[in-house]
Amino acid sequence: MPAYDHSSQVAELTSRIAAIRYAMFTTIDQHGHLVSCPMTNQHTDPEGNLWFFTSTVSPLWEQIAAHPQVNLSFVDPERSIYVSVNGQAERVVDRARIKGLWNTEAQAWFPDGPDDLHAMLVCVRSQTAEYWDAKVNAMVELFKVLTGGKPEDGKHGHLDL
């Protein structure tokens, strides 16, 4: 069995989610329910941490404080790529980092710019990820199902980050 290589695991995760802009960000609310909202992944750093902008007045900000264990789901149905990332979320108040990640999409949410007092970051420290990559012809798979066959499972993998 090959030795664990963190950088190759991070590279695998990064390559799978690089073209997927939005993730469903799942947290636990004040009632203990799982809740999800769409978030834009701003950056995946060399350690495999995923960075998102959020507001101090959003429910997400308080949910992370109470229950930092989160899940991120990335989906690209056109390329049949599905990725689920499990990790610990951390609220980050760092103006230099906010300015470094600032972009026009963040500006739309925070019109006062990177110095907006409510503009903050969430860092998800990835722990594990699973992916499903079903790079098969959709029409062929549909035909298999319609004629009583079983569709291909595609590739499934697990990453320890």
Side-chain angles (χ1 to χ4, degrees), residues 39 53-62 110 116 118-120:
M39 298 286 285
F53 279 105
T54 194
S55 171
T56 60
V57 296
S58 76
L60 182 75
W61 188 252
E62 292 308 318
F110 303 101
D116 185 309
H118 296 294
M120 298 298 163

Side-chain angles (χ1 to χ4, degrees), residues 60-78:
L60 182 75
W61 188 252
E62 292 308 318
Q63 291 162 357
I64 288 169
H67 303 284
Q69 192 69 34
V70 300
N71 192 80
L72 305 169
S73 298
F74 294 86
V75 176
D76 183 346
E78 290 184 13

Side-chain angles (χ1 to χ4, degrees), residues 25 38-42 51-55 58 60 95 97-103 105-107 109-110 114 118-122:
F25 197 119
M39 298 286 285
T40 305
N41 183 24
Q42 300 298 321
W51 292 85
F52 300 85
F53 279 105
T54 194
S55 171
S58 76
L60 182 75
R95 286 292 150 211
R97 188 174 290 271
I98 289 168
K99 289 175 182 176
L101 292 174
W102 198 255
N103 57 54
E105 191 166 338
Q107 185 69 37
W109 287 97
F110 303 101
H118 296 294
M120 298 298 163
L121 294 168
V122 172

Side-chain angles (χ1 to χ4, degrees), residues 9 11 14 32 60 83 114 127-128 150-151 160:
Q9 298 282 293
T14 302
L60 182 75
V83 180
Q127 295 170 321
T128 62
K150 182 178 184 251
D160 287 311

Side-chain angles (χ1 to χ4, degrees), residues 26-36 57-69:
T26 303
T27 57
I28 300 171
D29 72 9
Q30 71 274 18
H31 305 292
H33 300 135
L34 295 173
V35 293
S36 300
V57 296
S58 76
L60 182 75
W61 188 252
E62 292 308 318
Q63 291 162 357
I64 288 169
H67 303 284
Q69 192 69 34

Side-chain angles (χ1 to χ4, degrees), residues 12 16 80 82 131-135 152-157:
E12 180 77 17
R16 291 190 177 281
S80 297
Y82 307 88
Y131 62 87
W132 296 263
D133 188 352
K135 289 186 179 177
E152 295 289 323
D153 288 337
K155 183 178 179 183
H156 174 250

